[in-house]
């Protein structure tokens, strides 16, 4: 696989990831399990019956420039 092939595949990832995550979320809820998701600065557990429970408040997302390297402590 060439570098160009890899770059082409990587460029397709953002467009493909949204629908893939949405489908996985629906499968989890349909199986009777809950999902965790970020909503408005909070971590929320959503149950199959639609009920939501706030787990904790979270920090806002960090804007990242393309190609930046972040160190996680």
């Amino acid at each position: 696989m060439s570098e160009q092939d890899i770059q082409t595949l990587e460029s397709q990832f953002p467009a493909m990831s949204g629908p893939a995550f949405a489908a996985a979320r629906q499968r989890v809820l349909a199986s009777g399990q809950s999902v965790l998701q970020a909503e408005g600065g909070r971590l929320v557990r959503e149950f199959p019956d639609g009920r939501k429970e706030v787990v904790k408040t979270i920090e806002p997302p960090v804007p990242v420039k393309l190609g930046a390297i972040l160190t996680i402590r």
Side-chain angles (χ1 to χ4, degrees):
M1 182 175 284
S2 72
E3 182 64 28
Q4 181 61 38
D5 292 337
I6 293 170
Q7 287 180 358
T8 300
L9 289 172
E10 286 178 348
S11 70
Q12 295 170 357
F13 184 78
M16 295 171 59
S17 64
F21 277 98
R25 180 181 174 281
Q26 289 303 322
R27 284 194 305 273
V28 169
L29 290 171
S31 74
Q33 300 177 70
S34 62
V35 294
L36 287 174
Q37 57 194 32
E39 283 185 10
R42 301 177 303 173
L43 186 61
V44 177
R45 181 183 315 274
E46 184 174 352
F47 295 90
D49 63 3
R51 184 172 43 98
K52 293 183 179 183
E53 172 185 283
V54 175
V55 176
K56 68 181 275 186
T57 301
I58 56 176
E59 294 188 23
V62 177
V64 179
K65 291 183 181 179
L66 182 63
I69 297 174
L70 297 179
T71 303
I72 299 174
R73 295 177 243 157

